[in-house]
Every structure is written in C-alpha cells, then in structure tokens.
Amino acid sequence: MKYDALFDAQLDELRAEGNYRVFAELERERGSFPVARNYGEKGVQDVTVWCSNDYLGMGQNPVVVDAMHEALDRCGTGAGGTRNISGTTHDHILLEAELADLHQKEAALLFTSGYVSNWASLSTLGSRLKDCVILSDAKNHASMIEGIRHSRCEKRLWQHNDMEDLERQLKSLDYDRPKIIAFESVYSMDGHIAPIKEICDLADKYNAMTYLDEVHGVGLYGPRGGGVAEREGLMDRITLIEGTLGKAFGVVGGYITGSRSLIDFIRSFASGFIFTTALPPAIAAGSRASIEYLKNSEIERLRQKERVATVRKRLDQLGIPHMDNPSHIVPIMVGNPVKCKQISDRLLSDYGIYVQPINYPTVPKGTERLRITPSPVHSDEDIDRLMDALEDQWSQCALARTVSAA
C-alpha cells in the first residue's frame, strides 16, 4: 500500500476547502516587537505581528530576558530529565511558590505547556476519582477535551456559558457523586468571558469541584495579573486554577494551582507530569521574573486595554465586522475560508502585516476569522497601517460591512 497517497489525498481535501495551514517563518528580534523578520518567497522582510499571544510583550521585557540570562549562566541549559529522576531544581520551587501566591492557593505544579497541564490534570482527576463525571463547557479548548476523553470517565457537555443548561445537568446527578465543572475564563477564539460567580454558586449548590482554565486571563486581568477570577474576587471559590506561562507572561510552560492535597494528588498520579522532562531552569527563572513584574505593574495592562478599544473603534468606523466581547481578543469576521486565507496572505505579502487566518476545525464553518490581539507595543502608526490594509482587502474581496460604517 502507498501510504503517502493516503496522506496526500486528505491534505488535498484540506487545501480545496481552504483549511490547509501554512506556517509563516518568522524571527522575533529583541526590542523590536511587534516587528519580526519574515522569511518568505520575496526574501527576508520586516512584518508587524498582530496575532501573537505574547499579549503584553513580556517576551521582550528586559527584566525577563535578564533573569533568563542569569539562570542560564548559573545553571546551564536543560533540567537534566524528569523531576522524579533528576531532581527538582531550586528555580522550579521558587516559581511554584510564586504561582501559588499569584492565585492565593496552597500549592502549584509546573508542566511543560498549558496543553499538557490541562490534559494531565483532567485525565488524572477523571480516571482516579471513582464514578467521576466531568461537565465541560461546549467551547472548551482541545487540551481539556482530550484530557477528559483520556480519563474515560463520564463526560457531559453543557451549552456555552449557559447556566440553565448547566444546572439542569447538575440537578440530574447524585449529590454525593464526584463532579467537576470544567470551563475557561476567556475563550480564545470568540473572546467570551465565563460567568464565574454563577458557576461557583451552582458548584456549591450541587457539591461539585470547579476547574478553571485561565490561560488567556493570567497576566491580563486582576490587580496582580491573577486572571479574571482575581479581578472578580473569586479565586478562593475555585477548586483548581490552571494557567500558562507562554502567553501574557511571555515565556513557555503550563501550571495548576490548588490545595496542597489536590496538587500532590496530581503530582503523584499524572503520567503527563511524572514521565516528562522538566522545564529548563532558565525558563522557570524568566517566568518567575515576569510574574513578579506584572504583580506590581499596571502600565502594560492599561495600555493594552486602550489599544484594544482604539482598534475596535477604528473597525467600527470602517464598518468591518468584528465580534463584540468584553475581552482583549478582537475576532474580525470573514465567514469564508478561502477569502480568509486570501486576505491573510495578501496582508503578509503586500502590506507587511501578519495575521493568521482562523478556519475550521478551530472555529465552526462559516465563522472563519482573523484574530487580532492588540498589545501595549502596537503604535498609532501600526494601527493606521492595519486599518488601511483591511479597508483595501474588504473592498477587493467584496465583503459585507456593518451598518456602523462612517
């Protein structure tokens, strides 16, 4: 059998549907973000990045870079293996203490990515708690879905942010049966924010644990960057808070926080933690420096909010449709996979603007979009160039505009 032919046939289908992913070859330059070098067909060109999850530009912050350099000179590169075999480095311990403090929890545990922390934690909880059922928001991230699936426990989907549906399902379950409500604070594709208080109220009423994914909230919300739960004064009501070091904190890695018993339980039983090489000490040191910095600095968060508001206002003036939401994520709605990819390609090649198209299966068919993430380091001139380019492309592609066009 010619297996490559089987692979190519399905890849050709993706291309025909406009859903084939092409990765831009970019090189970030320290001190120049959001500008990056693009290694494309026309050679090396500077482009402005508008879709990074380095939401606050902390990947370029001298405090973070210097902390990583210091740890690299002090410890060398890798961690040497798993924490079980090679030992836990001092930098890991310091970072976990910093994370526990950030979320006002007793303990924290590091993972190699946010994907792994969700997958390992949910699969461990669902499989080790006898007769457990996990109630999962319908728009939860793939990492949460995979973790629940791997646990092989009962899974119940509840309609996105729908408290009536969640309560209906909780009410049907035995009060004493182990239950976990799994949800996100900020949903990365639509920018929706969960009704955390109402979810906690239902969890208390029906004897359920709460599992909150704050990966798109940490660093950005709350007086110290603890996320949406911190902003709303609800961290103490959440059983487990999961987050990432790879977005607003500008480094890489994932983590969970919770009670000392809960964290020790996952540390002791999660294969995704036990059998994985630990994060390098320099990564841990840089992450801790970023968290410490954002606990005390509001400048980046305030500037980002202003940039987001400015971008939304300018889009409204042009009549370019974007999904209304209360978060920092600005989804510009195209609604056609081929045109979405086409606009993205033209923005990159003709205007020096990088915005990755978001197509199926990441979002439902018919809701294809350009996902814009304004940051504190985007200038007025950057916004002007983006708006001029989008105006041109909306006209060239004959896309519908909103009635608010000025």
Side-chain angles (χ1 to χ4, degrees):
M1 181 180 290
K2 296 182 178 180
Y3 287 102
D4 281 353
L6 300 178
F7 304 148
D8 290 336
Q10 294 195 39
L11 290 170
D12 288 342
E13 285 183 24
L14 273 183
R15 293 186 181 94
E17 295 168 353
N19 292 325
Y20 180 76
R21 290 177 170 88
V22 177
F23 298 154
E25 184 180 349
L26 302 179
E27 181 181 36
R28 287 157 62 103
E29 181 181 1
R30 180 182 177 183
S32 297
F33 186 76
V35 175
R37 296 186 188 94
N38 175 46
Y39 290 78
E41 295 178 356
K42 296 180 180 180
V44 181
Q45 296 178 318
D46 283 347
V47 297
T48 303
V49 179
W50 273 100
C51 55
S52 174
N53 283 344
D54 186 0
Y55 292 131
L56 299 177
M58 291 302 293
Q60 307 285 309
N61 190 295
V63 171
V64 180
V65 176
D66 290 347
M68 292 186 70
H69 274 298
E70 186 278 328
L72 192 63
D73 292 338
R74 173 168 45 86
C75 299
T77 55
T82 68
R83 289 169 70 170
N84 179 53
I85 290 179
S86 296
T88 289
T89 72
H90 185 55
D91 288 289
H92 289 130
I93 298 300
L94 293 176
L95 175 54
E96 286 173 344
E98 197 71 51
L99 289 164
D101 175 78
L102 176 66
H103 295 292
Q104 295 298 288
K105 298 294 185 185
E106 292 179 347
L109 188 67
L110 288 170
F111 291 84
T112 51
S113 73
Y115 190 104
V116 174
S117 57
N118 268 334
W119 179 87
S121 300
L122 284 166
S123 64
T124 300
L125 289 168
S127 62
R128 300 290 306 191
L129 295 177
K130 186 178 179 181
D131 199 28
C132 180
V133 57
I134 299 179
L135 299 100
S136 177
D137 185 286
K139 290 198 173 183
N140 276 344
H141 190 262
S143 58
M144 301 175 78
I145 295 169
E146 285 300 314
I148 297 167
R149 179 181 297 149
H150 186 75
S151 76
R152 298 185 179 179
C153 73
E154 182 182 350
K155 170 187 174 180
R156 294 201 180 188
L157 280 180
W158 48 284
Q159 295 176 28
H160 177 55
N161 280 353
D162 187 329
M163 296 301 94
E164 289 186 6
D165 187 43
L166 177 58
E167 181 165 24
R168 178 184 61 80
Q169 299 203 42
L170 284 166
K171 191 181 297 185
S172 70
L173 297 169
D174 186 273
Y175 182 82
D176 292 322
R177 183 180 180 186
K179 297 176 286 293
I180 302 170
I181 304 172
F183 62 105
E184 302 180 41
S185 61
V186 181
Y187 289 84
S188 63
M189 290 300 117
D190 296 339
H192 297 161
I193 290 181
I196 300 177
K197 179 184 181 300
E198 290 78 2
I199 293 172
C200 290
D201 290 343
L202 290 177
D204 291 344
K205 183 177 180 180
Y206 294 100
N207 193 30
M209 291 186 287
T210 46
Y211 183 109
L212 174 60
D213 177 321
E214 279 267 31
V215 297
H216 293 277
V218 290
L220 297 168
Y221 300 91
R224 300 197 310 159
V228 179
E230 183 195 28
R231 183 189 71 180
E232 299 179 6
L234 297 167
M235 289 194 298
D236 62 312
R237 300 187 64 188
I238 304 295
T239 310
L240 184 153
I241 297 177
E242 183 267 351
T244 184
L245 305 168
K247 294 182 170 59
F249 292 131
V251 194
V252 68
Y255 65 88
I256 57 171
T257 64
S259 70
R260 191 166 284 105
S261 295
L262 171 59
I263 298 305
D264 195 24
F265 178 82
I266 293 174
R267 182 192 71 87
S268 299
F269 291 111
S271 62
F273 171 80
I274 296 169
F275 299 107
T276 301
T277 298
L279 290 171
I283 295 294
S287 299
R288 183 164 67 95
S290 182
I291 295 164
E292 285 181 329
Y293 178 90
L294 288 173
K295 281 179 177 178
N296 297 293
S297 176
E298 278 287 316
I299 296 171
E300 291 77 12
R301 287 189 281 272
L302 292 173
R303 172 68 172 172
Q304 189 216 33
K305 289 177 183 177
E306 183 276 325
R307 297 284 81 183
V308 171
T310 298
V311 167
R312 288 189 181 279
K313 180 179 179 181
R314 295 288 299 276
L315 290 170
D316 286 339
Q317 290 171 346
L318 294 174
I320 294 177
H322 59 97
M323 187 177 291
D324 187 31
N325 64 55
S327 75
H328 59 283
I329 294 165
V330 184
I332 298 176
M333 307 307 292
V334 179
N336 179 291
V338 175
K339 288 186 177 181
C340 193
K341 178 68 167 60
Q342 185 181 77
I343 291 173
S344 173
D345 290 344
R346 288 177 179 171
L347 288 176
L348 186 61
S349 63
D350 299 346
Y351 303 91
I353 292 172
Y354 175 61
V355 184
Q356 185 72 356
I358 307 295
N359 289 348
Y360 178 84
T362 306
V363 295
K365 292 181 179 180
T367 69
E368 293 81 10
R369 66 199 66 178
L370 302 171
R371 178 181 177 272
I372 302 293
T373 53
S375 78
V377 292
H378 283 104
S379 67
D380 289 339
E381 292 74 19
D382 292 332
I383 295 176
D384 288 341
R385 287 195 299 273
L386 175 65
M387 295 303 146
D388 289 344
L390 289 172
E391 165 76 6
D392 290 346
Q393 286 306 301
W394 235 252
S395 297
Q396 289 183 32
C397 292
L399 290 168
R401 296 179 187 255
T402 60
V403 293
S404 58

